[in-house]
Amino acid sequence: MGLGGDGDALRGVKAGEEEGKRQGRWRVFLVWFLRLVSAFWLAKGLTAWAVIFGLPGNPQPPFENRLLSYQAIIVYFAVIDLVAAVGLWLTSTWGGVLWLLAAISQLLLSFLFPRFVPMTAWLVAFYVALMAIYFIATWAAENGEG
């Protein structure tokens, strides 16, 4: 045991303990981030169900009178958003994968069918920023970066 080998003998720090603390901070950040995104995605999924069931006083035509392509998009997001929200809340790997699938598919559909899935530039930037934070935080939590 030297002065600066695996563990710092003068401070009593064991090998890997400092790295574990740094890694632990990123893991805590990642859990809180996933829970916040989960709450947002849960609300997003519930709004899709609100469109399906219809809201009183909504000026839009009823869901069953809309185009079939619109109905398919809304049902897809009503299901995948809620399942992704549960997976994110549980901080499971499949939740992150489903969330990325839902977010990327919404971005793609907003470019292909802007009439059915309207998104502003700010919302697109928000989604891209969420995905970037997710990838960075996941990488940092797994690699022990401080």
Side-chain angles (χ1 to χ4, degrees):
M1 260 197 206
L3 293 174
D6 272 350
D8 197 351
L10 295 177
R11 289 189 287 158
V13 177
K14 294 181 182 172
E17 198 170 300
E18 184 67 29
E19 180 181 326
K21 286 181 184 178
R22 278 186 263 139
Q23 195 173 21
R25 277 185 258 150
W26 276 107
R27 287 183 190 263
V28 169
F29 172 80
L30 183 61
V31 167
W32 280 102
F33 174 75
L34 291 177
R35 298 261 164 99
L36 287 172
V37 173
S38 173
F40 173 71
W41 233 254
L42 181 67
K44 186 177 165 309
L46 291 175
T47 59
W49 280 104
V51 170
I52 292 171
F53 290 126
L55 294 175
N58 189 0
Q60 299 292 329
F63 179 75
E64 52 275 352
N65 294 343
R66 298 294 216 44
L67 293 174
L68 189 59
S69 53
Y70 176 82
Q71 291 176 356
I73 289 171
I74 293 298
V75 169
Y76 170 76
F77 285 117
V79 173
I80 198 168
D81 286 346
L82 292 180
V83 175
V86 169
L88 286 174
W89 187 267
L90 296 175
T91 65
S92 64
T93 304
W94 61 265
V97 170
L98 274 181
W99 171 67
L100 288 171
L101 177 67
I104 290 171
S105 60
Q106 184 167 2
L107 290 172
L108 286 174
L109 286 171
S110 72
F111 291 119
L112 297 174
F113 302 103
R115 196 173 100 204
F116 298 140
V117 185
M119 287 185 75
T120 64
W122 289 104
L123 194 55
V124 170
F126 179 67
Y127 276 34
V128 171
L130 284 178
M131 286 186 269
I133 292 169
Y134 173 74
F135 283 124
I136 291 168
T138 303
W139 181 84
E142 291 301 318
N143 292 312
E145 294 297 317

